[in-house]
Amino acid sequence: MTSITPLLLNSLSHDAGVRVEAEATLARARVENRCEYLRALACEVASSTSPKHARQLAGVMFKNALDAKDENKKREVQQQWLAIANEQRMSIKATIWQTLGDEASEIRHVAAQVVAKIAGAEIPHKQWPDLIANLQTGASGASGVAAKQAALEALGYICEEIEADDLDQTDVNGVLTAVVSGMGKNETDVSVRLAATQALNNALYFAHENFTRQNERDFIMQCVCEATTCEDVRVRVAAFEVLVSIAENYYEYMSAYIEAVYQLTVNAAKQDKQEVGLQAIEFWSTICEEEIGRQEAIECGETDVQMFGFISKALTALVPMLLEQLTKQEDDQDEDENAWNMAMAGGTCLGFVSQLVRDPVVDQVMMFIQQNIQSGEWRQREAATFAFGAILEGPDPAKLANVANEALPHLIMSLKDQSAHVRDTTAWTIGRVFEFVQSQGFPLVDAQKFPQVLQAMLESVKDVPHVAGKVVWSIQHLVSSVAEDADIRETLAQHFQGIIQALLMTSERPDAEVGLKMECYEAMNEIIRSATQENYSTIGHLIPHVLQKLAATFEGQEHMGAELLEKQADAQALLCGTLQVIIQVLGGANEATKAALSQYADSLMQAFLTVFACRSATVHEEAMLAVGALAYAVGSGFVKYMDAFFPFVKLGLENHEEHQVCSVTVGVVGDICRALDEKVVPYCDGIVYALLRDLESEKLHRNVKPPILSCFGDLALATGPAFEKYVPYVLSMLQSATQLTIGAKSDDDEMNEYNNQLRNGIFEAYAGILQGFKSDPSKLTMIREHTPSVLALVETVAADPSRDEVVTRSMVGVLGDMADTIDQIGPLFAQRPFYKDFLKECQQ
């Protein structure tokens, strides 16, 4: 390949024609001769005569050629690299390696990334065996400071690319030696110290064996603590980030260091720059979350969990430090949804402390609240309100009820505070009062107070958008908290229409951005879910209004830019979500209400079909869920929509890239089966074929596959004997899934959860087939041959302590179905008497 420099420069051109042509040429080169393409990129990175931005781009393109967001695609491009002859790969690596010592820091940086991507492909296959040792040599400074910094950076990136078992302990020791040495206080070059500290954060994942040895652990902790006081702020931030990772991964070793770390974090929070202080607070938030998880495990009966109670022991010192942070607000923090500062970090951490230690935190915080809640300074008032909101989750409601009862009138008045900051936090705090304290046992709002409280909050939805959003959220929690109280339900019913109208008007404000609209519709959905029969008429009248709003989003789409289309898609998703909730509520009511819903069925389905044509994944998902609700509501009458709807079912089932869409579509197929029964038969060929393709796909997320197995059961149950022609293919898939679940032994909670989902899918599929063929026993021949393996799977799973209740119920169901449908099954059960003890266990 000739010099790639002109192409790279052209790909950055402002001239669209030049840029597109260059990009196309580079893309062809990548496909037609990957080896020469990568060699040309490597030479460009190493070329000191090429423009720096061209060299950087070449490095980025090289690393992207070995990477992908999708794991299957990433493995594919890594295999393509490994397929290049070893001599050629060695040559390319040598070219990149020499740039680790380049005089330009930007080139060293991208070279380190490229080395890491190559390592990610080769190290798991035991190739490039001398890489870690060579980088350790580079990190010793033998080739100069620049190469030292780049070597440390590369080590850090490599640790991000590979798994713990890809490195042997010798290489792990080499990585840790290099990075810990580089971050020590004796290192005079700040860029080296920063690279080493950042690399350690990634390398901690590999250091479990090293942390078991006290001398190594002490040395690592000493270097990290020293780095928190480095003169360079970037190093201090990175060092505290390492402490956060240590708190998360090595909690059981923290006892010896916690006092020293406490002092470092206090100093950082009180005296250092905000970016350092934020990480210092994050350390204590991480300790809190770790101890919350351990406390929950102990309360669930686990006996091998270490819990040192660092937060409880430090409570009297930690809480005042956190409260001090609450007055460090930023003037515009409420208007920026991504804002994060010392006040927000301190309040968040205080919330974690409250969840962990519960009642003891209340008295400590109440003194701060009482001292500041009436202050003439808005910062003090807002901090006091934030503190109160933060401690509402965790303590016993009985501990908080009297305080909350006294505070609620003041909070309602504070919705009129002159400071928008105070109003914003007040609205949030009121919502948390209703979420965590208000209940039938502690009725802060009764039937008499409800109209007054509601009126004050409805007035406040007219506030500036960020305050209005919090008020809307609080109204949602107010309604949810009283919906089950018989004494208030009648009062709530009287105000139901007014609440819905206020939320609709707020969502249509000229200044309502997506966030406020979303709050309004989410609140409306929750309030509709809690509605009683006397409100069903009001809910039904919402349908034409929401349909009209949805229709308006389709107008002029062909002339919209990408940003406006995205906003329209967000609006469509919200409106479809609300229609789904309305359909679910009315569809689950009495026959008269269902009949009233049916009059809108054609209009609803037409609107959803128009939404599907827009092809936005988020909207597709929401509309598909709404169609599932509609199918359930109208029952067999849904068949008249199937010809128009079926192409979108196929599209959803074939959407392997956006797996949530595929997953939702699988669920809707189940809804359709339950609605149509045998009327779904004409569509089964396309559905079963698509589902089988889904199971074979390596691109489709694994979490979609267990529901697909259950879906086969739904189809069999709906179609009965007509499902016979699919049974050989389905049974083959069930056998493969059975082998997978039997071989999946793991201590990993996530893997166990997936395994339970897989087992449940298998049992539901078998149960559906057995029940579907019950009316024609002659169709059971094929499945009768599989009963020994089904029974063996039930026995295996029965002995597995990780099975959950859902799987257990499915196992009982399939045992009952086998006994009910398979003739002469008795001798097979007799060969496996485990079922007697299993069923006794279930009865208990």
Side-chain angles (χ1 to χ4, degrees):
M1 187 173 185
T2 56
S3 173
I4 202 172
T5 307
L7 282 173
L8 293 171
L9 294 176
N10 286 345
S11 72
L12 298 172
S13 173
H14 295 298
D15 185 318
V18 172
R19 185 175 66 252
V20 169
E21 183 181 350
E23 289 172 348
T25 303
L26 289 166
R28 282 197 304 273
R30 176 175 173 172
V31 172
E32 291 170 0
N33 193 330
R34 178 171 290 265
C35 178
E36 286 307 309
Y37 170 77
L38 293 175
R39 187 194 305 280
L41 291 175
C43 290
E44 183 70 15
V45 176
S47 173
S48 59
T49 59
S50 293
K52 188 187 295 182
H53 55 286
R55 298 174 67 191
Q56 283 181 270
L57 178 59
V60 170
M61 293 178 68
F62 193 119
K63 77 180 183 66
N64 289 346
L66 270 68
D67 198 12
K69 290 182 180 180
D70 180 76
E71 283 299 317
N72 291 320
K73 180 63 177 176
K74 183 172 182 177
R75 283 193 292 271
E76 180 184 324
V77 295
Q78 287 177 334
Q79 286 300 322
Q80 289 171 352
W81 165 258
L82 293 172
I84 296 172
N86 185 56
E87 287 185 5
Q88 293 175 313
R89 281 190 285 119
M90 292 287 286
S91 173
I92 294 170
K93 288 189 292 187
T95 302
I96 291 292
W97 183 267
Q98 74 186 45
T99 62
L100 289 175
D102 197 274
E103 61 181 21
S105 61
E106 300 91 340
I107 303 304
R108 297 197 302 273
H109 175 73
V110 76
Q113 291 179 316
V114 171
V115 167
K117 292 298 178 185
I118 296 173
E122 296 201 352
I123 287 180
H125 297 277
K126 305 305 178 187
Q127 300 194 36
W128 212 351
D130 57 350
L131 173 61
I132 300 299
N134 289 340
L135 287 172
Q136 188 178 358
T137 300
S140 70
S143 301
V145 171
K148 182 176 184 177
Q149 180 261 339
L152 289 165
E153 204 170 346
L155 286 169
Y157 289 139
I158 288 168
C159 292
E160 286 186 305
E161 291 294 325
I162 60 178
E163 299 297 328
D165 55 2
D166 290 334
L167 289 182
D168 60 32
Q169 192 56 42
T170 301
D171 280 339
V172 172
N173 294 341
V175 171
L176 291 173
T177 298
V179 298
V180 174
S181 299
M183 66 186 292
K185 63 182 180 182
N186 294 327
E187 175 56 60
T188 57
D189 189 280
V190 169
S191 65
V192 168
R193 203 170 178 188
L194 177 61
T197 307
Q198 292 172 334
L200 178 59
N201 205 10
N202 295 332
L204 283 173
Y205 176 63
F206 300 84
H208 287 274
E209 184 173 321
N210 304 82
F211 261 78
T212 64
R213 295 189 282 269
Q214 184 176 344
N215 60 330
E216 293 185 39
R217 187 169 69 242
D218 287 348
F219 185 61
I220 292 172
M221 291 300 296
Q222 177 186 335
C223 290
V224 175
C225 290
E226 288 173 353
T228 64
T229 61
C230 176
E231 69 279 3
D232 189 280
V233 65
R234 297 171 300 165
V235 176
R236 298 199 299 277
V237 170
F240 275 109
E241 287 174 345
V242 173
L243 285 177
V244 170
S245 296
I246 291 171
E248 184 177 359
N249 294 290
Y250 300 105
Y251 170 91
E252 60 270 30
Y253 299 114
M254 285 300 300
S255 289
Y257 316 106
I258 200 73
E259 289 185 16
V261 173
Y262 169 77
Q263 197 55 56
L264 291 169
T265 57
V266 169
N267 292 342
K270 289 187 174 183
Q271 302 168 13
D272 213 326
K273 293 186 176 181
Q274 176 169 280
E275 56 263 46
V276 182
L278 287 173
Q279 290 303 319
I281 300 295
E282 183 65 20
F283 171 84
W284 290 107
S285 291
T286 304
I287 291 288
C288 279
E289 290 182 282
E290 187 67 29
E291 293 199 335
I292 288 169
R294 289 167 182 264
Q295 183 170 275
E296 288 173 352
I298 292 168
E299 290 172 353
C300 289
E302 294 187 32
T303 57
D304 59 345
V305 179
Q306 286 185 300
M307 172 74 165
F308 297 121
F310 294 136
I311 300 298
S312 293
K313 293 172 184 175
L315 195 65
T316 55
L318 183 61
V319 168
M321 185 269 281
L322 295 175
L323 292 171
E324 185 180 327
Q325 308 313 311
L326 300 187
T327 59
K328 298 179 180 178
Q329 307 97 325
E330 293 176 344
D331 290 338
D332 60 349
Q333 67 180 34
D334 295 329
E335 298 170 18
D336 181 3
E337 61 182 24
N338 298 315
W340 189 247
N341 54 46
M342 293 298 288
M344 301 172 82
T348 301
C349 187
L350 182 61
F352 287 138
V353 172
S354 179
Q355 291 175 49
L356 176 65
V357 303
R358 301 172 184 170
D359 290 3
V361 79
V362 176
D363 293 335
Q364 271 197 285
V365 174
M366 286 310 300
M367 186 179 299
F368 175 84
I369 294 171
Q370 290 161 0
Q371 290 171 349
N372 292 280
I373 197 70
Q374 301 283 3
S375 172
E377 293 289 330
W378 75 263
R379 293 182 185 277
Q380 265 58 38
R381 296 197 305 278
E382 195 272 343
T385 308
F386 192 2
F388 185 53
I391 63 169
L392 292 171
E393 182 181 6
D396 189 333
K399 176 80 173 176
L400 294 166
N402 289 336
V403 176
N405 199 37
E406 292 176 11
L408 190 56
H410 173 82
L411 290 169
I412 296 297
M413 287 178 58
S414 294
L415 288 173
K416 300 295 184 185
D417 194 281
Q418 62 185 9
S419 166
H421 293 280
V422 176
R423 299 197 302 273
D424 186 277
T425 303
T426 297
W428 171 79
T429 300
I430 291 172
R432 285 175 65 87
V433 168
F434 295 140
E435 183 178 7
F436 297 113
V437 186
Q438 161 82 21
S439 66
Q440 288 180 275
F442 302 103
L444 307 180
V445 175
D446 56 20
Q448 185 177 355
K449 291 180 182 176
F450 179 81
Q452 304 163 12
V453 173
L454 177 63
Q455 185 57 39
M457 297 176 75
L458 290 178
E459 281 293 317
S460 290
V461 297
K462 302 170 186 174
D463 208 326
V464 293
H466 64 85
V467 176
K470 301 288 198 317
V471 175
V472 166
W473 178 79
S474 295
I475 291 173
Q476 173 188 327
H477 282 291
L478 168 62
V479 173
S480 298
S481 70
V482 302
E484 299 302 319
D485 190 328
D487 294 333
I488 305 181
R489 283 184 76 89
E490 185 176 341
T491 306
L492 173 58
Q494 295 168 7
H495 291 86
F496 183 87
Q497 186 170 352
I499 295 172
I500 296 297
Q501 286 177 341
L503 293 174
L504 285 171
M505 289 176 63
T506 303
S507 73
E508 294 167 4
R509 285 170 43 163
D511 59 351
E513 293 291 335
V514 171
L516 179 54
K517 290 178 185 288
M518 189 174 296
E519 292 284 4
C520 289
Y521 278 96
E522 287 177 355
M524 194 157 52
N525 294 349
E526 287 302 314
I527 291 165
I528 290 170
R529 285 191 183 99
S530 65
T532 53
Q533 188 169 341
E534 53 264 39
N535 298 127
Y536 287 168
S537 175
T538 301
I539 294 172
H541 291 146
L542 279 173
I543 294 176
H545 176 83
V546 179
L547 283 174
Q548 184 180 8
K549 295 282 293 178
L550 185 57
T553 66
F554 302 135
E555 296 174 3
Q557 283 191 316
E558 63 275 12
H559 305 299
M560 293 180 185
E563 186 176 345
L564 197 53
L565 279 172
E566 187 177 347
K567 286 186 177 181
Q568 289 293 80
D570 289 336
Q572 290 166 2
L574 289 172
L575 293 163
C576 287
T578 296
L579 288 171
Q580 180 205 352
V581 173
I582 292 172
I583 295 167
Q584 284 176 328
V585 170
L586 299 183
N590 57 38
E591 291 304 316
T593 304
K594 281 187 177 181
L597 172 64
S598 296
Q599 68 178 307
Y600 296 110
D602 289 356
S603 299
L604 286 164
M605 197 63 202
Q606 185 56 54
F608 297 142
L609 291 171
T610 307
V611 167
F612 291 134
C614 297
R615 299 300 302 274
S616 163
T618 305
V619 185
H620 194 142
E621 194 177 327
E622 293 293 340
M624 191 63 75
L625 287 167
V627 170
L630 186 63
Y632 173 82
V634 302
S636 62
F638 188 81
V639 71
K640 70 177 181 178
Y641 307 122
M642 279 300 295
D643 285 346
F645 179 51
F646 186 64
F648 298 108
V649 172
K650 286 186 67 178
L651 280 175
L653 294 177
E654 292 166 358
N655 193 341
H656 298 174
E657 300 295 331
E658 294 156 334
H659 71 271
Q660 287 292 351
V661 172
C662 185
S663 179
V664 167
T665 308
V666 171
V668 169
V669 169
D671 294 332
I672 292 171
C673 288
R674 287 181 283 277
L676 300 185
D677 289 327
E678 70 280 355
K679 291 180 181 178
V680 79
V681 169
Y683 307 96
C684 276
D685 283 358
I687 291 172
V688 172
Y689 177 74
L691 293 175
L692 292 171
R693 290 281 304 274
D694 287 344
L695 290 175
E696 293 171 346
S697 171
E698 293 185 359
K699 290 183 178 180
L700 184 61
H701 196 285
R702 69 178 190 181
N703 287 349
V704 184
K705 297 187 177 183
I708 290 175
L709 301 180
S710 299
C711 193
F712 286 133
D714 294 331
L715 285 161
L717 190 58
T719 59
F723 194 74
E724 181 185 21
K725 67 177 181 177
Y726 310 114
V727 168
Y729 308 102
V730 173
L731 289 180
S732 175
M733 288 297 179
L734 292 176
Q735 284 181 310
S736 298
T738 298
Q739 294 302 313
L740 181 61
T741 188
I742 289 174
K745 304 292 184 183
S746 175
D747 294 328
D748 180 67
D749 289 343
E750 187 176 329
M751 187 61 204
N752 283 333
E753 182 181 354
Y754 174 73
N755 206 21
N756 277 321
Q757 292 170 357
L758 189 60
R759 292 164 171 176
N760 186 60
I762 294 168
F763 292 132
E764 287 191 343
Y766 278 122
I769 296 170
L770 288 165
Q771 292 175 38
F773 289 177
K774 185 177 178 180
S775 63
D776 187 353
S778 67
K779 307 296 184 184
L780 289 167
T781 303
M782 279 185 287
I783 197 166
R784 185 181 286 111
E785 296 172 4
H786 286 263
T787 51
S789 62
V790 177
L791 199 55
L793 176 61
V794 175
E795 183 173 12
T796 300
V797 177
D800 187 349
S802 68
R803 66 177 158 86
D804 60 22
E805 290 184 16
V806 176
V807 173
T808 301
R809 285 195 294 271
S810 296
M811 291 161 65
V812 172
V814 83
L815 286 175
D817 291 329
M818 289 170 67
D820 188 39
T821 57
I822 305 291
D823 290 337
Q824 300 178 341
I825 194 74
L828 186 59
F829 274 94
Q831 293 172 19
R832 295 183 179 274
F834 79 92
Y835 73 91
K836 298 177 182 177
D837 291 336
F838 171 64
L839 293 176
K840 284 180 184 177
E841 174 199 325
C842 294
Q843 288 175 333
Q844 295 169 358

